[in-house]
Amino acid sequence: GAHRVLGFAAVWGIGVHAVVSTIAAAGSIGDAIPTLVSLIQNVAGMLGAVVGMGLLIVVAATSTAAARRRLPYETWHGTHLYVYLAMAFGFLHQLTVGADFAGDNLATALWVVLYLAAFGPLVVHRMAWPVWLTVRHRPRIARVEPENAGCFSIYVEGRDLQNLAVRSGQFFVLRALTARDWWHGHPFSISAAPSGQALRFTVREYGDGTRALRALRPGTHVLLEGPYGAMHGARWTGRKLLLVAGGIGVAPLRALAEALPYQPFTADLVYR
């Protein structure tokens, strides 16, 4: 999708900028490496720029189709987070070396404001909001039940879950607050209509991360990020309903089928 295209285009664009700028500073291709070493040693912000570029290359390399087929999701996801560190190094490089900002306090202030506007919502919704939900509702594992080979359901209970604004069809990013799993977010759709007493997530084992969730003990605290997703009853405008699902993707549709007020014989579920 657009994220993939823009991501690779950004890495290529930044890479071209780095190569062309270095050659321009050196005056020739043959002097590029010694010039780069000199810039790193003598110009503030250049080391961070090189480190940031290296991190972006690692992220791009592990995001290729060939790498994705071989890497566990947990490894890919952890590597992808290096983008934030690369952007921090790049931001400092822009302010210290960038011709548009060096010596121009107004331009620098405007650029800082734009970054705050871009990352402010990220901090609020991806960090502060999950912490607030966790403090408010105290979500924890009620039980883990097997469904069939390779699938199981996680029941999460908490305080005042009836006040949690979640609809069937939506999903949360779930983090078990254990020493092993607290850093790893699992995007799971709820697989049963919200009851106000518990949330149910039905999971298929795809790797070490989801396999570890099967062993969670009742009472283990979790952190919920969300709910996300616009596939819910408020978007339903017709009188008839067609639900199409494959594999574990049936989980959110099962919750929708339970919650939507359709009439008998006006809804169909196609599952393969």
Side-chain angles (χ1 to χ4, degrees):
H3 172 75
R4 181 179 181 83
V5 172
L6 293 175
F8 280 107
V11 174
W12 278 108
I14 296 171
V16 169
H17 158 73
V19 172
V20 172
S21 298
T22 303
I23 294 175
S28 66
I29 297 178
D31 295 329
I33 298 300
T35 299
L36 178 60
V37 173
S38 177
L39 290 172
I40 292 173
Q41 292 175 338
N42 299 299
V43 178
M46 283 302 301
L47 178 59
V50 173
V51 172
M53 185 71 244
L55 292 174
L56 288 177
I57 292 173
V58 170
V59 172
T62 56
S63 297
T64 60
R68 288 294 305 276
R69 287 194 294 267
R70 292 171 172 80
L71 288 175
Y73 173 83
E74 292 78 10
T75 302
W76 171 85
H77 182 267
T79 304
H80 222 65
L81 295 178
Y82 290 147
V83 169
Y84 295 109
L85 188 57
M87 293 185 69
F89 282 125
F91 176 67
L92 295 175
H93 169 69
Q94 293 170 30
L95 296 185
T96 56
V97 183
D100 295 322
F101 305 108
D104 190 332
N105 293 332
L106 179 60
T108 298
L110 177 60
W111 202 237
V112 171
V113 169
L114 290 175
Y115 262 81
L116 291 175
F119 282 92
L122 177 70
V123 172
V124 170
H125 291 286
R126 297 296 301 272
M127 298 179 183
W129 181 250
V131 171
W132 163 245
L133 281 183
T134 301
V135 172
R136 180 186 182 190
H137 295 290
R138 308 286 180 84
R140 58 191 178 277
I141 301 296
R143 62 188 185 279
V144 178
E145 293 186 352
E147 298 291 352
N148 54 40
C151 288
F152 58 94
S153 289
I154 299 173
Y155 291 80
V156 175
E157 62 184 9
R159 184 178 64 184
D160 298 328
L161 288 184
Q162 70 277 6
N163 296 325
L164 183 62
V166 56
R167 297 172 179 265
S168 293
Q170 293 186 304
F171 71 94
F172 288 89
V173 177
L174 184 147
R175 299 175 188 270
L177 298 181
T178 64
R180 173 178 177 174
D181 203 59
W182 67 268
W183 60 275
H184 183 196
H186 304 272
F188 295 143
S189 299
I190 60 173
S191 59
S195 64
Q197 302 299 317
L199 297 171
R200 188 179 76 177
F201 303 93
T202 301
V203 181
R204 181 174 181 178
E205 293 183 11
Y206 278 114
D208 294 338
T210 49
R211 191 173 299 113
L213 295 178
R214 183 188 280 271
L216 291 176
R217 296 180 178 180
T220 300
H221 289 278
V222 298
L223 186 145
L224 295 176
E225 176 189 328
Y228 298 126
M231 187 185 69
H232 49 67
R235 296 299 183 96
W236 182 33
T237 58
R239 287 178 295 178
K240 293 185 178 181
L241 183 66
L242 173 63
L243 305 174
V244 182
I248 197 60
V250 74
L253 301 191
R254 187 247 177 254
L256 277 173
E258 181 182 0
L260 294 179
Y262 52 84
Q263 298 300 314
F265 307 108
T266 61
D268 291 285
L269 170 64
V270 179
Y271 178 63
R272 294 290 184 269

